[in-house]
Short mmCIF file of all heavy atoms in Angstrom, two decimals:
data_model
loop_
_atom_site.label_atom_id
_atom_site.label_comp_id
_atom_site.label_asym_id
_atom_site.label_seq_id
_atom_site.Cartn_x
_atom_site.Cartn_y
_atom_site.Cartn_z
N GLY S 216 -1.23 -15.43 -5.92
CA GLY S 216 -2.08 -15.04 -7.11
C GLY S 216 -2.84 -13.81 -6.85
O GLY S 216 -2.94 -12.94 -7.73
N MET S 217 -3.37 -13.68 -5.59
CA MET S 217 -4.17 -12.52 -5.28
C MET S 217 -3.33 -11.29 -5.38
O MET S 217 -3.64 -10.24 -5.99
CB MET S 217 -4.72 -12.68 -3.85
CG MET S 217 -5.51 -11.47 -3.33
SD MET S 217 -4.54 -10.21 -2.53
CE MET S 217 -3.87 -11.08 -1.14
N TRP S 218 -2.06 -11.34 -4.81
CA TRP S 218 -1.17 -10.17 -4.81
C TRP S 218 -0.62 -9.80 -6.20
O TRP S 218 -0.43 -8.64 -6.60
CB TRP S 218 -0.06 -10.24 -3.85
CG TRP S 218 -0.40 -9.68 -2.48
CD1 TRP S 218 -0.66 -10.29 -1.31
CD2 TRP S 218 -0.68 -8.31 -2.22
NE1 TRP S 218 -1.01 -9.40 -0.31
CE2 TRP S 218 -1.08 -8.18 -0.84
CE3 TRP S 218 -0.55 -7.15 -3.01
CZ2 TRP S 218 -1.30 -6.90 -0.25
CZ3 TRP S 218 -0.90 -5.85 -2.41
CH2 TRP S 218 -1.29 -5.82 -1.04
N ALA S 219 -0.39 -10.88 -7.03
CA ALA S 219 0.01 -10.72 -8.38
C ALA S 219 -0.98 -9.85 -9.17
O ALA S 219 -0.62 -8.98 -9.89
CB ALA S 219 0.29 -12.06 -9.02
N ASP S 220 -2.30 -10.13 -8.93
CA ASP S 220 -3.32 -9.32 -9.58
C ASP S 220 -3.53 -8.01 -8.96
O ASP S 220 -3.73 -6.99 -9.63
CB ASP S 220 -4.70 -10.14 -9.50
CG ASP S 220 -4.60 -11.39 -10.31
OD1 ASP S 220 -3.72 -11.63 -11.20
OD2 ASP S 220 -5.49 -12.31 -10.05
N ARG S 221 -3.41 -7.97 -7.65
CA ARG S 221 -3.69 -6.73 -6.91
C ARG S 221 -2.57 -5.64 -7.15
O ARG S 221 -2.99 -4.46 -7.26
CB ARG S 221 -3.68 -7.10 -5.40
CG ARG S 221 -4.13 -6.02 -4.44
CD ARG S 221 -4.48 -6.78 -3.18
NE ARG S 221 -4.74 -5.91 -2.08
CZ ARG S 221 -5.08 -6.30 -0.86
NH1 ARG S 221 -5.34 -7.54 -0.60
NH2 ARG S 221 -5.30 -5.47 0.15
N VAL S 222 -1.39 -6.16 -7.27
CA VAL S 222 -0.36 -5.09 -7.41
C VAL S 222 -0.31 -4.40 -8.72
O VAL S 222 0.32 -3.34 -8.99
CB VAL S 222 1.10 -5.73 -7.16
CG1 VAL S 222 1.51 -6.57 -8.33
CG2 VAL S 222 2.11 -4.71 -6.72
N VAL S 223 -1.01 -4.96 -9.74
CA VAL S 223 -1.16 -4.24 -11.05
C VAL S 223 -2.53 -3.71 -11.34
O VAL S 223 -2.65 -2.76 -12.14
CB VAL S 223 -0.78 -5.18 -12.23
CG1 VAL S 223 0.62 -5.62 -12.17
CG2 VAL S 223 -1.70 -6.46 -12.26
N GLY S 224 -3.59 -4.23 -10.63
CA GLY S 224 -4.92 -3.80 -10.91
C GLY S 224 -5.61 -2.95 -9.90
O GLY S 224 -6.74 -2.37 -10.27
N SER S 225 -5.14 -2.82 -8.75
CA SER S 225 -5.91 -2.25 -7.68
C SER S 225 -5.58 -0.71 -7.57
O SER S 225 -4.72 -0.17 -8.33
CB SER S 225 -5.53 -2.89 -6.30
OG SER S 225 -4.25 -2.47 -5.92
N THR S 226 -6.38 -0.01 -6.76
CA THR S 226 -6.10 1.33 -6.45
C THR S 226 -4.70 1.59 -5.90
O THR S 226 -4.12 2.64 -6.18
CB THR S 226 -7.17 1.89 -5.53
OG1 THR S 226 -8.58 1.71 -6.06
CG2 THR S 226 -6.99 3.35 -5.19
N LEU S 227 -4.21 0.67 -5.17
CA LEU S 227 -2.84 0.75 -4.71
C LEU S 227 -1.86 1.01 -5.88
O LEU S 227 -0.95 1.85 -5.81
CB LEU S 227 -2.40 -0.53 -3.87
CG LEU S 227 -1.03 -0.48 -3.28
CD1 LEU S 227 -0.94 0.38 -2.00
CD2 LEU S 227 -0.61 -1.92 -2.97
N ALA S 228 -2.01 0.26 -6.89
CA ALA S 228 -1.23 0.28 -8.09
C ALA S 228 -1.34 1.64 -8.78
O ALA S 228 -0.39 2.34 -9.09
CB ALA S 228 -1.56 -0.83 -9.08
N ASP S 229 -2.59 2.13 -8.90
CA ASP S 229 -2.77 3.46 -9.57
C ASP S 229 -2.12 4.54 -8.73
O ASP S 229 -1.57 5.47 -9.39
CB ASP S 229 -4.33 3.66 -9.69
CG ASP S 229 -5.01 2.69 -10.65
OD1 ASP S 229 -4.26 2.06 -11.43
OD2 ASP S 229 -6.20 2.48 -10.48
N GLN S 230 -2.28 4.49 -7.45
CA GLN S 230 -1.73 5.53 -6.64
C GLN S 230 -0.22 5.53 -6.74
O GLN S 230 0.50 6.57 -6.77
CB GLN S 230 -2.11 5.37 -5.20
CG GLN S 230 -3.61 5.63 -4.93
CD GLN S 230 -4.02 5.31 -3.58
OE1 GLN S 230 -3.95 6.21 -2.67
NE2 GLN S 230 -4.44 4.13 -3.29
N ALA S 231 0.44 4.30 -6.68
CA ALA S 231 1.88 4.24 -6.79
C ALA S 231 2.35 4.79 -8.07
O ALA S 231 3.37 5.60 -8.06
CB ALA S 231 2.28 2.74 -6.64
N VAL S 232 1.71 4.54 -9.17
CA VAL S 232 2.06 5.10 -10.49
C VAL S 232 1.81 6.63 -10.54
O VAL S 232 2.72 7.40 -10.91
CB VAL S 232 1.43 4.45 -11.60
CG1 VAL S 232 1.69 5.08 -13.00
CG2 VAL S 232 1.76 2.95 -11.68
N ARG S 233 0.78 7.01 -10.11
CA ARG S 233 0.44 8.50 -10.06
C ARG S 233 1.33 9.33 -9.33
O ARG S 233 1.62 10.44 -9.61
CB ARG S 233 -1.10 8.67 -9.70
CG ARG S 233 -1.59 10.09 -9.82
CD ARG S 233 -3.07 10.22 -9.61
NE ARG S 233 -3.45 9.88 -8.25
CZ ARG S 233 -4.09 8.70 -7.91
NH1 ARG S 233 -4.45 7.83 -8.86
NH2 ARG S 233 -4.46 8.48 -6.69
N ARG S 234 1.78 8.74 -8.13
CA ARG S 234 2.69 9.51 -7.30
C ARG S 234 4.15 9.37 -7.65
O ARG S 234 5.01 9.85 -6.91
CB ARG S 234 2.44 9.05 -5.82
CG ARG S 234 0.98 9.45 -5.40
CD ARG S 234 0.66 8.75 -4.03
NE ARG S 234 -0.64 8.99 -3.72
CZ ARG S 234 -1.26 8.44 -2.60
NH1 ARG S 234 -0.54 7.63 -1.78
NH2 ARG S 234 -2.50 8.71 -2.37
N GLY S 235 4.42 8.65 -8.72
CA GLY S 235 5.78 8.48 -9.18
C GLY S 235 6.63 7.50 -8.29
O GLY S 235 7.87 7.54 -8.35
N LEU S 236 5.88 6.70 -7.56
CA LEU S 236 6.64 5.70 -6.68
C LEU S 236 7.05 4.46 -7.47
O LEU S 236 7.96 3.71 -7.07
CB LEU S 236 5.74 5.28 -5.48
CG LEU S 236 5.24 6.38 -4.61
CD1 LEU S 236 4.25 5.85 -3.59
CD2 LEU S 236 6.45 7.06 -3.92
N ALA S 237 6.39 4.13 -8.57
CA ALA S 237 6.68 3.01 -9.41
C ALA S 237 6.15 3.16 -10.76
O ALA S 237 5.14 3.99 -10.96
CB ALA S 237 6.09 1.73 -8.78
N SER S 238 6.64 2.50 -11.69
CA SER S 238 6.15 2.46 -13.15
C SER S 238 5.29 1.25 -13.27
O SER S 238 5.33 0.29 -12.47
CB SER S 238 7.26 2.42 -14.12
OG SER S 238 8.01 1.24 -14.09
N ARG S 239 4.44 1.19 -14.33
CA ARG S 239 3.73 -0.01 -14.68
C ARG S 239 4.64 -1.16 -14.82
O ARG S 239 4.32 -2.36 -14.45
CB ARG S 239 2.86 0.22 -15.91
CG ARG S 239 1.75 1.23 -15.67
CD ARG S 239 0.65 0.69 -14.74
NE ARG S 239 -0.34 1.67 -14.49
CZ ARG S 239 -1.42 1.56 -13.60
NH1 ARG S 239 -1.48 0.40 -12.92
NH2 ARG S 239 -2.27 2.50 -13.40
N ALA S 240 5.81 -0.93 -15.47
CA ALA S 240 6.71 -2.00 -15.63
C ALA S 240 7.27 -2.59 -14.30
O ALA S 240 7.41 -3.74 -14.16
CB ALA S 240 7.92 -1.59 -16.51
N ASP S 241 7.51 -1.61 -13.30
CA ASP S 241 7.90 -2.10 -12.04
C ASP S 241 6.81 -3.02 -11.41
O ASP S 241 7.13 -4.03 -10.78
CB ASP S 241 8.05 -0.88 -11.05
CG ASP S 241 9.20 -0.04 -11.49
OD1 ASP S 241 10.24 -0.49 -12.09
OD2 ASP S 241 9.22 1.17 -11.18
N LEU S 242 5.53 -2.59 -11.49
CA LEU S 242 4.49 -3.41 -10.96
C LEU S 242 4.34 -4.66 -11.65
O LEU S 242 4.05 -5.74 -10.99
CB LEU S 242 3.20 -2.62 -11.02
CG LEU S 242 3.18 -1.23 -10.27
CD1 LEU S 242 1.87 -0.55 -10.43
CD2 LEU S 242 3.50 -1.41 -8.82
#
C-alpha cells in the first residue's frame, strides 16, 4: 500500500515523469 501510493504521489514519481522515464499511466 505504501509503494502503491508512493509510486504515483512522491517526488520520485514527479522526477520519473519529468525526465521522460515513465508516464503517469505507467506509474
